[in-house]
Each structure stands twice: as C-alpha cells, then as structure tokens.
Amino acid sequence: MLDFVVTNHWWQKYESGEKNTEYRRKTPYWDKRVKNAITEHIGKEYARHYLDKLEQPLSEENNWLSCRFPLGFLLPANVRHGYTSETRRRQIFAIVIKNGKDTDLAIDDWVYCFCFEPERKRKQC
C-alpha cells in the first residue's frame, strides 16, 4: 500500500475535498514503491500489464504515460497528516507520469500523478 505524508496545507485541501491528486517526483525510490504496491495488490502476472505502461521511455515527444486501472479496481493508499496518526484511506484509480511544471511540485522533471477517487462526503449527525 502506498503511503503519502502531506503537510497541513495539503491535508486541509484533502479534508475539504478540494484536492484529489497527489504528486511525487519520479525517482527509483517511487518506482520501486509503485511497482511493489501494484504487484502486491493484484498479483505479479496481472500487474505486468500495468507496469509495462509505466516503464516506457519518456522524452519530449513521449511526455505523458498513463496507467488507468479497470472499472472496479482501485489501488489502496493512505494519506497521512504529517507524521501524526491522523490518516485517511484513499483509492487510486489511475497513475500518470508527466512533466511536473504544471503540478503542485512545479518542477521541470518527471513526476508521478496519483489520481484518487473522490471521497464521499461524511454525513453530519
């Protein structure tokens, strides 16, 4: 399962429903975590199809890779409020690799874009 530690600023946006996407720089560390999360959740044989999509070479021309999971399949993840015990369980429906210029990270490098299912509003008692 993927675990995303976010600062208070981003936590508030998740809590309000304003944010449903998390970004991480594409590094060997995150490559391994993504590969392990997909493999553990759906099995090695089936995971190969999705991992192949994410392992294609990136370039100026090929600047967008997408791995959208089939209807009904969601990859579980946790969004954690800093290093506290406050955590929200979220479901990833797609993983995209793209240039990070127009993301929260605002970096000219490849980033993972984790797309979460919108969270249902909790009923107030």
Side-chain angles (χ1 to χ4, degrees):
M1 180 179 307
L2 293 170
D3 197 45
F4 300 96
V5 178
V6 298
T7 62
N8 190 57
H9 171 77
W10 298 116
W11 177 260
Q12 297 306 323
K13 290 190 180 289
Y14 277 114
E15 286 292 286
S16 71
E18 187 179 338
K19 184 169 169 62
N20 281 315
T21 307
E22 188 58 34
Y23 301 98
R24 292 293 188 263
R25 184 188 297 258
K26 187 177 182 324
T27 63
Y29 172 80
W30 276 99
D31 292 342
K32 183 177 180 180
R33 294 188 75 211
V34 168
K35 179 181 178 180
N36 289 344
I38 292 173
T39 302
E40 287 171 14
H41 192 63
I42 63 175
K44 194 172 189 174
E45 192 172 309
Y46 192 59
R48 188 75 258 152
H49 171 74
Y50 299 101
L51 297 174
D52 285 347
K53 290 182 180 183
L54 294 175
E55 292 171 354
Q56 295 175 30
L58 292 159
S59 65
E60 290 287 328
E61 297 79 34
N62 184 25
N63 61 5
W64 182 276
L65 295 178
S66 178
C67 172
R68 187 175 178 96
F69 300 115
L71 191 63
F73 172 80
L74 299 170
L75 189 65
N78 287 321
V79 176
R80 186 176 310 277
H81 186 191
Y83 290 96
T84 68
S85 61
E86 202 171 4
T87 303
R88 295 287 179 265
R89 182 70 164 269
R90 300 299 303 267
Q91 303 292 325
I92 298 169
F93 70 86
I95 300 173
V96 174
I97 299 173
K98 65 180 190 171
N99 187 287
K101 287 181 195 175
D102 298 324
T103 69
D104 297 344
L105 298 178
I107 58 172
D108 188 14
D109 201 358
W110 301 114
V111 300
Y112 279 109
C113 170
F114 299 94
C115 306
F116 296 121
E117 280 284 296
E119 209 171 25
R120 292 186 177 90
K121 292 285 182 193
R122 295 181 198 100
K123 291 185 179 180
Q124 299 293 325
C125 294

